[in-house]
Amino acid sequence: MRYFDLHCDTITECWHRNLSLKTNTLQVGLDRADRFEAYAQCYAVWIPDELRGEKAFQRFQQVTQRFYNELEQVKELARPCTTPAERVDSCSEKKHCAILTVENASVLGGNLEKVRTLAESGVKLCTLTWNGENELGRGARAPGLTGLTTFGKQAVKEMERSGIIADVSHASPELFWDVIKIAAQPVVASHSNAKSLCDHPRNLTDEQFKAIRDSGGLVGLNLVSFFLRDKPEQASSDDILRHAEHFLNLGGENALAIGSDWDGSAPEDFPLSGIQEIPALYECFRNNGFGQEITDKIFFRNADDFFHQENLL
């Protein structure tokens, strides 16, 4: 099977805990990637809300350096993918394609010039906020009713010019709709589920999903229990299928992907233990009404086509 995942926090955890990307106790380890015919993974540099200004940017630099250092150590298994040519080479050599992203645009520190720095570092996707408020606007957990700031609107436009996709996972509703109004490029919610099935402030309403679909963007199914079910202790793989079916019923056949959020929460917060269980989840989709074509779209082809069409990879 083929697997394309829009979001994990694994490289930040490798940096924080001084662990290897190849062999570790995390949910993503490249020594477990041999079960995939093709595997592309977006690795997020997570910036906590409490890190601001130069400290946020220093975190980005440190984790990014770790990302490239780790990939240098496993050249026989993986390669960073920052251009279409590197993507083609990765596929032809059957190597893992590693894509750099950022979670929380507070990394910019209110400085538009840093968008170009992110792009030059290989960043392809950037969430505009985390849960709190930053220079771009208000996240899903921050009080108030505000959306994008003036700087936030400028930053979205600069990201589009620089080849960085705006990611609205973690956005407040007001910020989300502000982005939809001004975005000239497709919008992505890399790791968000259906709010009508699980009433978490980070999940998407049906209208938000349709807006992303209509933009030509993607929504990645989040595998964390408290985004799957209002009673997270009861969450299972069946809930992942429920959210997928709901989005498909909204016309999401070409907009739905996986955004696992591996290593973004405690292991016990997931109904699955890591990438080693993805083949079983794939078979669960394939054998429970989704079929081969739709399952392959969700697990790989929609995301792969998106990055190809946007000339990102």
Side-chain angles (χ1 to χ4, degrees):
M1 65 157 291
R2 302 183 297 174
Y3 179 44
F4 198 128
D5 189 331
L6 296 176
H7 184 85
C8 77
D9 289 277
T10 306
I11 197 62
T12 302
E13 284 298 295
C14 286
W15 169 80
H16 181 65
R17 297 161 60 180
N18 194 27
L19 297 172
S20 163
L21 185 57
K22 180 179 180 181
T23 305
N24 56 48
T25 56
L26 301 174
Q27 291 174 309
V28 175
L30 296 187
D31 58 351
R32 287 166 271 154
D34 59 357
R35 62 206 69 212
F36 303 121
E37 178 185 340
Y39 174 32
Q41 179 72 60
C42 293
Y43 291 92
V45 179
W46 173 55
I47 311 295
D49 282 328
E50 61 268 22
L51 287 185
R52 308 309 292 268
E54 191 57 30
K55 289 183 177 179
F57 188 67
Q58 287 173 358
R59 163 72 76 95
F60 167 76
Q61 291 176 306
Q62 291 166 352
V63 180
T64 297
Q65 186 62 54
R66 183 62 179 255
F67 173 75
Y68 286 110
N69 286 347
E70 287 294 322
L71 292 174
E72 182 67 21
Q73 299 298 315
V74 291
K75 288 189 290 187
E76 75 284 2
L77 296 175
R79 65 182 301 155
C81 291
T82 62
T83 67
E86 288 175 340
R87 172 184 172 274
V88 170
D89 289 346
S90 178
C91 290
S92 65
E93 297 170 12
K94 295 185 177 180
K95 290 185 178 180
H96 167 50
C97 181
I99 303 158
L100 186 65
T101 70
V102 171
E103 188 169 27
N104 197 349
S106 61
V107 66
L108 302 177
N111 183 352
L112 284 179
E113 293 180 4
K114 283 194 166 64
V115 174
R116 175 54 56 184
T117 303
L118 264 60
E120 291 172 349
S121 299
V123 172
K124 298 299 178 184
L125 194 71
C126 182
T127 59
L128 302 181
T129 66
W130 195 53
N131 289 329
E133 190 168 1
N134 63 22
E135 293 85 356
L136 284 77
R138 191 170 62 86
R141 292 286 199 175
L145 296 172
T146 55
L148 280 174
T149 63
T150 298
F151 174 76
K153 294 173 183 177
Q154 294 170 341
V156 169
K157 291 297 186 182
E158 189 62 27
M159 285 182 192
E160 291 184 331
R161 285 190 288 268
S162 300
I164 298 175
I165 298 295
D167 184 350
V168 291
S169 282
H170 288 282
S172 66
E174 293 80 8
L175 188 143
F176 176 95
W177 289 112
D178 283 348
V179 172
I180 293 297
K181 287 176 186 175
I182 69 168
Q185 301 294 328
V187 174
V188 165
S190 63
H191 54 302
S192 297
N193 291 341
K195 192 174 179 66
S196 63
L197 299 184
C198 176
D199 191 24
H200 192 285
R202 277 262 291 97
N203 281 344
L204 300 170
T205 66
D206 291 357
E207 292 307 310
Q208 287 177 315
F209 178 83
K210 291 175 185 177
I212 294 174
R213 176 202 66 191
D214 292 345
S215 81
L218 293 172
V219 172
L221 292 167
N222 192 315
L223 307 187
V224 178
S225 295
F226 42 79
F227 299 120
L228 290 169
R229 199 176 181 95
D230 289 329
K231 295 181 178 180
E233 69 280 1
Q234 298 178 5
S236 70
S237 297
D238 290 341
D239 294 298
I240 304 170
L241 273 69
R242 283 196 311 127
H243 284 267
E245 183 176 23
H246 181 81
F247 284 143
L248 289 174
N249 287 337
L250 296 176
E253 178 179 340
N254 298 316
L256 194 56
I258 302 292
S260 63
D261 212 358
W262 296 130
D263 298 308
S265 191
E268 58 269 23
D269 293 333
F270 292 78
L272 306 177
S273 62
I275 61 168
Q276 62 274 15
E277 291 197 54
I278 287 296
L281 181 65
Y282 181 94
E283 290 302 314
C284 192
F285 270 72
R286 196 169 67 88
N287 296 325
N288 283 276
F290 292 85
Q292 182 69 47
E293 182 177 1
I294 296 298
T295 300
D296 189 58
K297 279 189 169 187
I298 294 170
F299 280 79
F300 185 83
R301 202 165 83 224
N302 284 343
D304 190 61
D305 287 350
F306 173 83
F307 276 85
H308 178 68
Q309 289 163 4
E310 296 306 312
N311 202 33
L312 296 173
L313 294 176

